């Protein structure tokens, strides 16, 4: 788990753990009980960083990035 602090963004965790900021959707999905709005993550919460398939979070694979972007559009409606 990571502790959320002021100024921490989901995309920075995604870049750190998965190599691409677009994969923040998977962190949001794993923490649906704590993160209601990915644009407004509560300060001071502990979040889970899920283990993901290397195929799903491959920063060198444009298809995996496009899939994450598609999921993002659902979360940001």
């Amino acid at each position: 788990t990571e502790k959320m602090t002021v100024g921490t963004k989901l995309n920075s965790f995604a870049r750190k753990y998965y190599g691409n900021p677009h994969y923040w959707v998977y962190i949001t999905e794993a923490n649906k009980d704590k993160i209601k709005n990915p644009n407004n993550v509560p300060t001071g919460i502990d979040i889970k960083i899920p283990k993901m398939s290397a195929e799903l979070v491959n920063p060198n694979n444009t298809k995996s990035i496009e899939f994450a972007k598609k999921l993002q559009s659902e979360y940001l409606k």
Side-chain angles (χ1 to χ4, degrees):
T1 62
E2 281 277 352
K3 189 141 186 113
M4 295 297 289
T5 57
V6 176
T8 301
K9 296 181 181 156
L10 293 172
N11 59 4
S12 67
F13 282 134
R15 184 186 318 271
K16 177 180 176 180
Y17 291 100
Y18 306 133
N20 187 293
H22 293 292
Y23 298 136
W24 65 263
V25 293
Y26 304 121
I27 298 170
T28 301
E29 182 69 23
N31 294 278
K32 281 199 286 192
D33 58 326
K34 298 175 186 173
I35 300 172
K36 305 299 181 211
N37 176 352
N39 288 319
N40 187 20
V41 178
T43 301
I45 65 169
D46 287 327
I47 61 168
K48 295 175 260 182
I49 306 295
K51 285 202 182 273
M52 300 296 297
S53 153
E55 186 177 306
L56 195 58
V57 290
N58 180 347
N60 299 314
N61 182 334
T62 55
K63 287 184 180 182
S64 78
I65 294 169
E66 290 303 316
F67 183 73
K69 286 180 179 180
K70 182 180 173 188
L71 292 175
Q72 287 176 27
S73 66
E74 294 299 313
Y75 273 99
L76 299 176
K77 278 186 179 178

